[in-house]
Amino acid sequence: PIARTLTLWGGIAIVAGTMIGSGVFASPGAVLLHTGSVGLSLIAWATAGLIALCGCLCYAELGMVTKPGSLAIILLVCGQYAAKPFYQDRLQPPELVSKLIALGALVAITTINAVSVAVSDRVNKWFTLFKTAALLLIGALGLYTLARDLDVAGSAANVNFHNAFRGSAAESPSFARFGVATMAALWSYDGWNNLNIVTAELVRPSVNLPRAVLAGTVLVLLAYVFANMGYFAVMHLNQIVDEATGESVQGFATDFGAIALGHVGLVVLPLCIAVSTFGAANGSSFTGARLICESAKNGDFPPYLAKIRSQDNPAPARACIFQSAIAMAMLAAGNFDSLLAYFSVAAWLFYFLAVSCLLVLRWSRPAAHRPFQVWLVVPVAFCCIAVALVIAIVSQQPVESALAVLGILSALPVYACRQCLRTRGYLVSAPLQGYTRVSLTDVIPAHGNDTDETSL
C-alpha cells in the first residue's frame, strides 16, 4: 500500500493553497460591477464561499477531479504578475514574456511534483502560509485605514462604509445580477475539490478529510471577505470599476499596493500575487497528476501513466509530465479569457455530474459504508446551483461553452470503444453503473477503515 504521509495540516494546505491563487486579486472588480455596492459585494463573496463549502462536504463523501485547464489559467496569471514590476510603464507586460515566465514556472512545478511528494507537500504548506499572510496584510491595512479615515469626509473608508449598500444593484435588487457576481467570486474558490484526489495518501482520511475541507474552506472564506474589506477601505469604487466603460479595472490590486504602501507596493503586491499563483499551481499539479495516475490504473489512460516512483515516495512522475504537456499546449494556444471560459463550463458541468452521483449512490447503495455523510439537502441544493451556473455561463459565452462541451463529448466515442472491448461487445452492464463510472474516478468503498481505506 502507498504510504500515508499527508497530515491534517497538509490537507488544509492543499485545500486553502489551491483556492488562494489569482482570483481574489482579480475578481473583486467583476463582483462589484454586478452588485453595485460594497455591502452586496461582501455578501456575494460570502455566498460563493458557502457554495464552495457545500461542494466540499459533498466531495468529502465521494472523491474526484482536477483540470490541466485550471493549471494553465493560474500559471498565465502568475507570469503576468511576475513580469509586472519590470513593466510599470504599461498596463500589462508583453504576452510572450508572461507566457515564457508561466512555462518556466510550469517546468519548476512539474519537477517538484515528479521528484518528491515530501518536497511538494512542504511547498504547499509554506506557500499557503505566505498567501494567507498576504491576504491578512491587505485586510489589516484596510482595517487600519478604516479606523483612521471612517469619519474623514470624502475618504474611501467614509464613502464606502457609511452607506455600504448604496448602489444601483443594491437599490434595485436583481437575482440575475447577484448570480453573475457570485459566479465571478466562485472562480476564486476553485480548488475546494482537490483534496479528495489524494485520500490514499491522507492520514486517517475518514477523520481528516472532512476536517481539512471544512477548515480550509472556512479559512479562505474569512480571508477573502477580510481582504475585500481592505480593498474597499483603501480604494474608491471608481478605482476598482471603470464607470466610463462599465468594466473592472485591470491590475487594481497593484494600485491598492501603491495607495497603501507607496512605491514599494508597486513591486511588493505583484510579487505577492505571483507567489500566490505559483503556490496554487503547485497544489493543482500535486492533485491533478494523481487523477491521471488513478485513471490509468482503471484503464482510462495508458497504463504507462500509472507508474509511481516508489511506495514510500508515490510521486506520479509520468502523470506529472503528461499533465504539464497538456497545460503547455493550453498556455501556448490560449489567453486568460478563452481558457477561463472553457474551464468554467467544463468544471461546473462535472461538479454537477459528480455530486449527482452522490444522490444516485444514496439510492442504489443505501447500505454502503460511509465514513462521512452529508445531509441530503446539501447535494440537492448544490446540484440546483450548478445547473443555474452552467446555464448562466452558456448564455453569456455560447461559443466558448459550445467548444468546451464538444471537447468533452469527443471523449465519449473513445470511452465507448474501450468499454466495448472490456465487456466483449456490451457497452455497460447496468445504466447506473455506467453513469457513475463516467462521472466519478473513485466511489465509496463497500467497507473500510482508517488503516486500509484508499478513497471515500
Side-chain angles (χ1 to χ4, degrees), residues 93-135:
E95 184 178 4
L96 179 60
V97 174
S98 298
K99 287 189 174 183
L100 287 175
I101 295 175
L103 287 172
L106 179 59
V107 171
I109 287 169
T110 302
T111 303
I112 291 170
N113 284 278
V115 169
S116 172
V117 172
V119 172
S120 181
D121 183 35
R122 284 195 290 271
V123 169
N124 278 331
K125 291 175 180 177
W126 283 107
F127 273 69
T128 299
L129 282 174
F130 178 87
K131 291 186 289 186
T132 305
L135 291 179

Side-chain angles (χ1 to χ4, degrees), residues 166-388:
R166 181 180 59 247
S168 59
E171 293 165 0
S172 303
S174 168
F175 177 78
R177 288 176 65 87
F178 184 78
V180 173
T182 303
M183 183 172 62
L186 274 168
W187 158 245
S188 303
Y189 286 95
D190 191 73
W192 48 262
N193 58 310
N194 284 345
L195 182 61
N196 302 72
I197 306 167
V198 294
T199 51
E201 299 170 48
L202 186 64
V203 176
R204 299 182 66 202
S206 62
V207 175
N208 287 335
L209 178 60
R211 286 180 179 177
V213 297
L214 184 63
T217 307
V218 171
L219 171 66
V220 172
L221 190 160
L222 295 175
Y224 280 1
V225 172
F226 191 48
N228 274 272
M229 290 180 65
Y231 292 142
F232 294 134
V234 172
M235 304 180 73
H236 289 281
L237 300 190
N238 60 8
Q239 294 175 305
I240 301 174
V241 174
D242 190 335
E243 295 177 349
T245 61
E247 297 178 353
S248 57
V249 176
Q250 291 185 332
F252 81 89
T254 304
D255 296 334
F256 171 89
I259 296 170
L261 299 173
H263 291 294
V264 175
L266 290 172
V267 176
V268 171
L269 257 293
L271 291 180
C272 283
I273 297 171
V275 170
S276 175
T277 50
F278 183 90
N282 181 73
S284 183
S285 177
F286 182 91
T287 54
R290 280 147 182 81
L291 175 63
I292 295 171
C293 184
E294 290 302 316
S295 296
K297 290 178 183 178
N298 292 335
D300 297 321
F301 279 108
Y304 175 83
L305 297 175
K307 181 70 174 178
I308 60 175
R309 295 184 67 88
S310 68
Q311 297 298 319
D312 293 328
N313 179 26
R318 296 173 181 177
C320 286
I321 295 171
F322 179 74
Q323 175 183 236
S324 296
I326 299 174
M328 282 183 181
M330 290 183 170
L331 278 172
N335 55 40
F336 179 83
D337 292 333
S338 61
L339 288 174
L340 184 58
Y342 176 89
F343 163 81
S344 296
V345 69
W348 280 96
L349 179 60
F350 277 99
Y351 293 160
F352 165 75
L353 289 174
V355 176
S356 66
C357 285
L358 186 152
L359 301 175
V360 172
L361 290 169
R362 287 282 188 94
W363 176 68
S364 62
R365 296 176 60 183
H369 176 68
R370 292 174 171 83
F372 176 78
Q373 186 171 333
V374 298
W375 292 340
L376 190 60
V377 68
V378 176
V380 171
F382 185 87
C383 285
C384 293
I385 292 169
V387 169

